Amino acid sequence: MPAPTRRLMIFRALAGGAAAAIASATAWVRPAEASEDTEETAGPILAKTSSIPVGGGRIIKGTWVVTQPKKGTFRAFSAKCTHQGCPVSTIRGGTINCPCHGSKFRIADGSVARGPAKRPLARKKIRVSKGVIRLS
């Protein structure tokens, strides 16, 4: 059998690349029923609603802050202070508090209540269902 020509080798490479691209693209298509919010597709559980005090909150694994500024209203924020990145450490008196330089953030919206931080805590999307708070 004669050696393949340069043209044939280029054609095979392009055809193989196109096939791989098509296979890759179709791997990401999900059926419509998979896009519904089920426990399998929902984000990780942060806390039970019963564990978040009204007018306060909890720091979850040093990464997230979940608050309940008024009964039945839940918010989630990054636990990283926007001043210099220190982890916040307490939630008291309606604020989320950073121990490093004294910044305080409001539990209702993460906005700055007292500096030196100038930007609010990063807000995280959550879903509350059946007494469980999950990241979205």
Side-chain angles (χ1 to χ4, degrees), residues 21-72:
I22 291 169
S24 174
T26 58
W28 291 100
V29 175
R30 290 194 254 173
E33 61 269 12
S35 66
E36 292 178 11
D37 231 10
T38 63
E39 286 191 23
E40 293 82 34
T41 62
I45 294 174
L46 293 178
K48 292 183 177 184
T49 56
S50 60
S51 71
I52 308 300
V54 176
R58 277 187 54 208
I59 299 168
I60 312 293
K61 297 181 183 177
T63 305
W64 313 107
V65 177
V66 178
T67 65
Q68 186 176 188
K70 61 182 184 176
K71 187 166 177 63

Side-chain angles (χ1 to χ4, degrees), residues 1-131:
M1 175 175 221
T5 65
R6 182 174 170 194
R7 184 177 291 170
L8 181 60
M9 290 173 58
I10 292 171
F11 174 77
R12 285 181 182 165
L14 290 173
I22 291 169
S24 174
T26 58
W28 291 100
V29 175
R30 290 194 254 173
E33 61 269 12
S35 66
E36 292 178 11
D37 231 10
T38 63
E39 286 191 23
E40 293 82 34
T41 62
I45 294 174
L46 293 178
K48 292 183 177 184
T49 56
S50 60
S51 71
I52 308 300
V54 176
R58 277 187 54 208
I59 299 168
I60 312 293
K61 297 181 183 177
T63 305
W64 313 107
V65 177
V66 178
T67 65
Q68 186 176 188
K70 61 182 184 176
K71 187 166 177 63
T73 301
F74 297 92
R75 302 281 188 258
F77 308 97
S78 167
K80 184 189 274 190
C81 179
T82 59
H83 176 239
Q84 289 190 346
C86 291
V88 298
S89 63
T90 61
I91 302 168
R92 265 191 222 110
T95 60
I96 303 161
N97 309 302
C98 179
C100 293
H101 302 102
S103 291
K104 294 180 180 273
F105 304 89
R106 293 177 185 88
I107 64 169
D109 58 8
S111 63
V112 177
R114 184 177 90 192
K118 298 195 183 314
R119 294 175 290 126
L121 291 176
R123 190 155 174 192
K124 302 298 177 184
K125 290 184 180 182
I126 56 173
R127 292 189 190 269
V128 180
S129 177
K130 298 178 185 175

